[in-house]
Amino acid sequence: MVPGRTGQGRHPAPLGDAARDTRAAIREQALAIGFDAVGFAPAATSQAAKQGLTDFLSQGWHGDMGWMAETAERRADPRSLWPHARSVIVLAMNYGPAEDPLDLLRQPKRGNVSVYARNRDYHDTLKKRLKRLARGLVEREGCQVKVFVDTAPVMEKPLAQAAGLGWQGKHTNLLSRELGNWLFLGSIFTDLELAPDTPELDHCGSCNACLDACPTAAFPAPYRLDARRCISYLTIEHKGHIDRALRVALGNRIYGCDDCLAVCPWNKFAQRSAEPDFLPRAELTAPRLADLAALDDTGFRHVFSGSPIKRIGRDRFLRNVLIAIGNSNAAELVATLRPLLDDPSPLVRAMAVWALGRLDTIAFMEERNARIDAESDPAVSAEWSSPDRGSAG
Ligand code: B12
């Protein structure tokens, strides 16, 4: 927690004494529980945010996150999700890193895990605290509540902006003048009428640093993200093979991506998080690619127990690790690839083949001759048939 931080809108609307007491009590308890910012918004989504969601989905930018299209109606309107909702209490937790996360991009034999996933799953941390806060509110006010962090169809960023916590930058994430870009969001819907805070204004100005920093050119325009090109989507949400044209740009990013957040000038106000759940664990921050490539399912579950990485499963994770190995330019990693050429998962086999082709042409030809006729998966066969040579990125 950041002492003294209120996170409230700068000009809260005038209130009666009872309502002021309720808001003040919520804020006080939220900060005591360990949230770093809190604000209040009406249970409604702005027309602009609704339109933004409609545009995003109609362009197909959600890729294979089919759940976004399926839940669009509820996502676009808090009252469609829960008709009793009158107000939304929006909470944020700071996960600011101690060092520039982009430094790890210069260690090609190690994987770069994005800052948000270097320790415990933030959903668990936030949810526990939201529930504590909600319990206190119900006890004091006798109201109804629903608690959300990410997993329900809620547009958390527009609600956070409406609650004065920050603004959606050109990279589409919420940032604040007090804490920069490293904020997790959660919300409590309630049937209480709570006076809203003043929405935060956009402070991006003419800066385009985040747009320019994106390794895969995932921003078709400021404030718009084509998730299908975003490394976070490709390494976490996308279940299939990663398009060959995008693999080199992944570099050693094996889980998520921080580039657009990390280059933002507003990070000069960011603060290092002291929250134990978010302090980086060495083995989850820059693990050796060779160690990761050796993980079987049991080993994967053991190493990533309690971490958000566990959610994508061993095969998808190894797909990412193998792309990083293919980008490493490190000939000594060839030995780690050989056993994976026969892995039961085609996702893994295909990327082992791709990585081998990038690191060692002679070994590739030898292994290819021994395997290509027996390969039954079309995607793996295609990797054997047309190797992607050239120097690793
Ligand atoms: C789907 C999703 C993703 C997808 C899509 C991201 C996206 N930008 O939509 C993927 C997998 C790519 C992703 C990646 C990440 N995510 Co994510 N993700 C979500 C999720 C579940 C839904 C977001 C959503 O509704 N997207 C739909 C689009 C349409 O909404 P939008 O981004 O708000 O888009 C708006 C703008 O486009 C705007 N707009 C359109 N045109 C214009 C024009 C102008 C002029 C303006 C001003 C605005 C504007 O309108 C839209 C609606 O508001 C939320 C949790 C939640 N329930 O909200 C977490 C969430 C957004 N993710 C989060 C995080 C931390 C990340 C990563 C940083 C993780 C990482 N390090 O890899 C990256 C960041 C990538 C990025 N630049 O966005 C946090 C962000 C916290 C914050 N401070 O904002 C959230 C809120 C989870 C949480 N509870 O903390 N994520």
Side-chain angles (χ1 to χ4, degrees):
M1 179 185 133
V2 181
R5 190 162 301 289
T6 64
Q8 66 189 63
R10 263 157 282 283
H11 310 290
L15 294 174
D17 281 351
R20 187 184 300 114
D21 286 353
T22 305
R23 284 169 43 114
I26 294 169
R27 178 167 293 119
E28 195 181 312
Q29 203 196 351
L31 297 175
I33 285 174
F35 288 106
D36 296 299
V38 48
F40 302 89
T45 310
S46 71
Q47 206 44 49
K50 279 185 194 161
Q51 191 59 49
L53 177 64
T54 305
D55 293 350
F56 178 85
L57 293 171
S58 62
Q59 299 273 8
W61 288 341
H62 57 299
D64 55 18
M65 297 184 289
W67 43 271
M68 290 207 71
E70 283 153 23
T71 57
E73 201 182 313
R74 276 172 288 152
R75 190 176 295 274
D77 178 7
R79 291 205 194 176
S80 163
L81 182 64
W82 186 44
H84 297 293
R86 290 292 168 272
S87 313
V88 181
I89 307 161
V90 189
L91 291 311
M93 276 188 84
N94 167 34
Y95 66 100
E99 280 139 32
D100 182 353
L102 302 186
D103 289 348
L104 292 174
L105 298 175
R106 291 192 289 273
Q107 296 191 41
K109 286 187 275 179
R110 292 184 177 264
N112 183 357
V113 173
S114 72
V115 179
Y116 94 87
R118 292 179 179 172
N119 196 333
R120 296 200 65 77
D121 192 327
Y122 73 90
H123 297 94
D124 300 340
T125 308
L126 266 80
K127 191 124 207 181
K128 262 189 226 136
R129 294 178 186 203
L130 288 168
K131 282 185 175 166
R132 266 179 70 192
L133 185 60
R135 253 196 318 271
L137 186 61
V138 171
E139 277 162 19
R140 280 197 310 275
E141 306 290 334
C143 59
Q144 296 190 65
V145 293
K146 292 230 181 280
V147 161
F148 300 112
V149 50
D150 199 341
T151 41
V154 174
M155 294 191 82
E156 292 174 344
K157 296 178 284 182
L159 284 170
Q161 180 154 1
L165 259 52
W167 72 100
Q168 280 190 259
K170 290 181 185 175
H171 51 29
T172 78
N173 266 23
L174 190 100
L175 66 151
S176 90
R177 292 198 283 188
E178 289 84 18
L179 290 164
N181 285 256
W182 313 104
L183 292 170
F184 293 128
L185 300 175
S187 57
I188 300 176
F189 286 19
T190 171
D191 60 352
L192 281 182
E193 294 282 358
L194 296 167
D197 284 308
T198 306
E200 177 60 296
L201 299 173
D202 184 333
H203 298 285
C204 287
S206 58
C207 176
N208 284 326
C210 57
L211 310 180
D212 297 340
C214 180
T216 48
F219 299 104
Y223 307 100
R224 292 178 185 258
L225 176 79
D226 181 349
R228 295 170 303 178
R229 295 187 68 86
C230 174
I231 293 176
S232 183
Y233 166 83
L234 291 168
T235 55
I236 303 172
E237 299 292 337
H238 182 56
K239 297 184 175 68
H241 295 285
I242 293 176
D243 197 342
R244 181 175 278 199
L246 296 171
R247 290 178 202 158
V248 172
L250 263 59
N252 67 342
R253 298 171 190 82
I254 55 171
Y255 191 89
C257 180
D258 294 315
D259 296 35
C260 60
L261 307 183
V263 298
C264 175
W266 284 102
N267 286 338
K268 63 175 175 261
F269 299 112
Q271 301 183 31
R272 179 183 178 167
S273 171
E275 168 54 50
D277 282 2
F278 304 151
L279 295 180
R281 273 172 56 193
E283 68 278 22
L284 296 189
T285 299
R288 282 163 25 101
L289 293 172
D291 295 342
L292 298 177
L295 290 174
D296 60 10
D297 201 48
T298 313
F300 172 82
R301 284 163 185 278
H302 177 71
V303 173
F304 296 111
S305 161
S307 141
I309 296 177
K310 191 172 167 196
R311 297 201 283 147
I312 69 170
R314 178 260 184 191
D315 295 348
R316 225 191 295 172
F317 186 62
L318 271 243
R319 170 200 64 186
N320 302 342
V321 168
L322 287 164
I323 291 176
I325 291 179
N327 289 332
S328 68
N329 237 335
E332 68 266 34
L333 290 179
V334 167
T336 66
L337 299 176
R338 291 192 198 263
L340 297 173
L341 298 172
D342 299 313
D343 196 86
S345 159
L347 205 54
V348 173
R349 279 203 310 284
M351 284 313 95
V353 176
W354 179 80
L356 186 61
R358 306 248 321 147
L359 291 186
D360 188 333
T361 312
I362 295 169
F364 180 90
M365 292 315 288
E366 283 165 13
E367 301 289 0
R368 174 183 190 270
N369 295 340
R371 287 181 173 78
I372 190 161
D373 292 338
E375 179 56 60
S376 59
D377 185 90
V380 185
S381 296
E383 294 296 338
W384 280 126
S385 303
S386 58
D388 184 6
R389 297 210 179 85
S391 68

